[in-house]
């Protein structure tokens, strides 16, 4: 089962498993906790185990770029940003080249190869 698709707010997990995957981007609205009940053919456990929902957020700030490449239509320089205060859930950063028109981001550019690696200073 899955929480995705809005209205469904429960999962059925088979016996023998003690984990359930909740996919990224699952909205939780005003819900504050996850409850886990045991069930049999006759009844559902009356007192569940409870876990408080915590929502992680990690955004960079103060992004800047200095272009040292003097050729028209080419870039080369230093891109810098401040890391999130809590980066314990961050595995890496992704950099895109985009065109923004009237405040709206267009298609992501494929100018950066998928395997482009940036050296950390």
């Amino acid at each position: 089962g899955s929480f995705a698709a809005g209205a469904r707010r429960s999962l059925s997990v088979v016996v023998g498993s003690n984990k359930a995957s909740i996919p990224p981007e699952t909205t939780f609205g005003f819900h504050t906790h996850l409850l886990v009940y045991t069930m049999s053919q006759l009844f559902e456990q009356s007192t569940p185990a409870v876990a408080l929902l915590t929502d992680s957020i990690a955004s960079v700030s103060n992004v800047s770029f200095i272009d040292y490449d003097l050729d028209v239509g080419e870039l080369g320089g230093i891109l810098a940003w401040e890391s999130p205060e809590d980066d314990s859930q961050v595995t890496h950063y992704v950099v895109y080249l985009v065109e923004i028109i009237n405040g709206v981001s267009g298609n992501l550019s494929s100018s950066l190869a998928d395997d482009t690696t940036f050296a950390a200073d």
Side-chain angles (χ1 to χ4, degrees):
S2 173
F3 283 139
R8 188 163 186 182
R9 294 289 173 222
S10 66
L11 294 172
S12 181
V13 180
V14 297
V15 172
S17 177
N18 64 345
K19 295 181 181 177
S21 179
I22 299 173
E25 310 303 324
T26 298
T27 58
F28 60 90
F30 296 106
H31 297 91
T32 59
H33 292 76
L34 292 169
L35 307 178
V36 180
Y37 290 87
T38 58
M39 291 187 68
S40 73
Q41 290 181 349
L42 301 176
F43 71 96
E44 180 177 87
Q45 173 185 352
S46 59
T47 306
V50 179
L52 177 66
L53 288 175
T54 58
D55 190 18
S56 298
I57 184 169
S59 296
V60 300
S61 59
N62 296 322
V63 178
S64 66
F65 175 71
I66 300 172
D67 183 16
Y68 293 117
D69 188 307
L70 300 178
D71 295 324
V72 173
E74 296 180 359
L75 297 173
I78 305 297
L79 175 65
W81 60 84
E82 287 185 28
S83 298
E85 186 175 318
D86 178 4
D87 63 359
S88 61
Q89 300 293 319
V90 177
T91 60
H92 59 283
Y93 298 98
V94 180
V95 177
Y96 294 100
L97 290 174
V98 298
E99 180 179 12
I100 297 178
I101 299 173
N102 296 328
V104 178
S105 178
N107 292 333
L108 298 179
S109 173
S110 59
S111 296
L112 292 177
D114 288 341
D115 61 350
T116 301
T117 302
F118 296 93
D121 284 339

